[in-house]
Amino acid sequence: MRTLSLAALGAATALTLSACAGSSEPDELVFTLTPSQEAGGLIETAEPLADLLEAELGIPVSALVPSDYAGVIAALASGQAQIAGGLGPRQMVQAEDQADAELLLQSERYGSLLYVTQWITNDPDTFCDDEPVADDEGYLYCNGVLGSDVTDGPIGADKLSLLEGQTVSFVDQGSTSGYAVPSLQLLEAGVDPIDGIEGVFAGGHDASVQAVYDGDAVVGVSYNDARGDIAETSPDVGEKVVVFGWSGAIPNDGFAASGELSPELRQQIQDAFVAIAETEEGGALLNELYNIDGLVPVESADFDVIRDLEAELGDVLG
């Protein structure tokens, strides 16, 4: 197994497409992953996961982490990658609609297939109605978030009108929980998510938390609870960065494969990931990559709520 840079993809793509044209299956596969956190750390974990996938399939597998969310869909659409992982809900829809991919699996965390956008702040005096309370790990929450279930949201939405003119840290323009969902919440609160705030894109969920921790943004968004992603380098993040709100429930991220692959190979890829997730080594790698506890088969209709979101946002976000 080898790791591919974007510069090296041309030759690999030509080889893969040539193999597809001359036989029923490609000679090698490229596995691309969404950069939801610092890309260097992701690729270090993606490489051994690609090794496990290669062993399961008996086909060479290379790992690729593009610089942004859009790069993952572009790699699938262009044939530069045949498998994609860590696809946010919006990317799952884009993988189908823009790259003609087939959805394979959905991630499971804490026994749930749902998660939320988490609203965080370094200014609890403004955004909390009550004194922040700590969980067992000392992480602070307010406005009733602590003890709530992801299906209880939205929570703290009445505070979003206070964001007019404030600096807000988003994740990436292609992120569901890190941009699309919070943008819709801002619109519903009467705040233009483009012109009504100073929006910055941190590039990853961990980086968005870091921006709030460092004071580069008053408020930020991430998945729940991405504060743990920077706890090693910023051990007091749970005290300095307070969760004051949640969105409504969002379907978890997942995995997809190119529609150019045969149904048989797509099924083998799906089965391989499920098998890998059930091993100690594979489970640890998936958890390190995206905090995944398990993988389950998924249906396209599971993401209809995201299609509705896209329709509701219209041309606001492009």
Side-chain angles (χ1 to χ4, degrees):
M1 191 280 300
R2 58 194 173 91
T3 301
L4 291 182
S5 66
L6 288 173
L9 273 171
T13 302
L15 175 62
T16 301
L17 293 177
S18 175
C20 286
S23 65
S24 60
E25 302 297 0
D27 291 332
E28 66 176 323
L29 297 168
V30 176
F31 175 31
T32 183
L33 295 95
T34 297
S36 65
Q37 54 182 286
E38 194 273 319
L42 277 178
I43 198 64
E44 290 177 3
T45 310
E47 289 173 352
L49 181 60
D51 279 335
L52 293 179
L53 186 60
E54 180 175 310
E56 288 283 336
L57 298 174
I59 303 173
V61 179
S62 301
L64 167 71
V65 179
S67 60
D68 57 25
Y69 282 51
V72 176
I73 303 303
L76 271 179
S78 66
Q80 292 177 324
Q82 293 74 44
I83 309 168
L87 294 174
R90 204 177 181 199
Q91 286 177 294
M92 290 286 271
V93 172
Q94 292 168 347
E96 275 196 314
D97 295 347
Q98 299 176 21
D100 295 323
E102 295 288 333
L103 305 188
L104 300 181
L105 297 159
Q106 189 177 12
S107 302
E108 185 176 37
R109 296 181 182 86
Y110 313 111
S112 176
L113 298 177
L114 301 169
Y115 76 117
V116 295
T117 291
Q118 171 178 270
W119 288 91
I120 53 178
T121 185
N122 52 33
D123 182 14
D125 289 344
T126 297
F127 295 96
C128 293
D129 282 333
D130 48 17
E131 186 71 21
V133 293
D135 64 9
D136 293 340
E137 297 180 357
Y139 283 40
L140 294 177
Y141 303 79
C142 67
N143 298 336
V145 174
L146 184 61
S148 297
D149 184 84
V150 292
T151 59
D152 294 335
I155 301 171
D158 59 314
K159 296 299 178 183
L160 300 185
S161 62
L162 301 176
L163 286 174
E164 186 78 40
Q166 298 280 359
T167 301
V168 179
S169 176
F170 295 112
V171 175
D172 182 283
Q173 287 178 310
S175 174
T176 307
S177 61
Y179 188 47
V181 168
S183 292
L184 181 58
Q185 285 193 272
L186 286 171
L187 283 173
E188 292 171 342
V191 179
D192 188 315
I194 306 296
D195 299 322
I197 59 171
E198 291 293 328
V200 296
F201 291 100
H205 289 265
D206 55 347
S208 183
V209 176
Q210 191 72 55
V212 177
Y213 178 87
D214 292 338
D216 296 329
V218 176
V219 165
V221 295
S222 70
Y223 62 74
N224 58 300
D225 188 332
R227 290 179 294 179
D229 293 344
I230 68 167
E232 185 173 345
T233 55
S234 305
D236 59 344
V237 62
E239 301 170 16
K240 290 185 64 175
V241 178
V242 179
V243 175
F244 72 90
W246 273 359
S247 71
I250 307 168
N252 280 352
D253 53 292
F255 290 66
S258 169
E260 295 296 318
L261 301 179
S262 70
E264 293 77 16
L265 181 52
R266 291 199 301 269
Q267 185 63 55
Q268 291 171 15
I269 293 168
Q270 183 184 61
D271 293 343
F273 275 120
V274 171
I276 288 169
E278 292 175 348
T279 67
E280 182 176 353
E281 180 183 5
L285 289 172
L286 288 167
N287 189 269
E288 184 176 348
L289 275 170
Y290 298 115
N291 299 312
I292 294 173
D293 294 333
L295 295 170
V296 299
V298 69
E299 297 291 338
S300 176
D302 294 339
F303 291 88
D304 283 348
V305 63
I306 303 303
R307 296 181 179 89
D308 294 341
L309 168 67
E310 297 281 4
E312 193 167 355
L313 283 172
D315 296 328
V316 175
L317 302 184

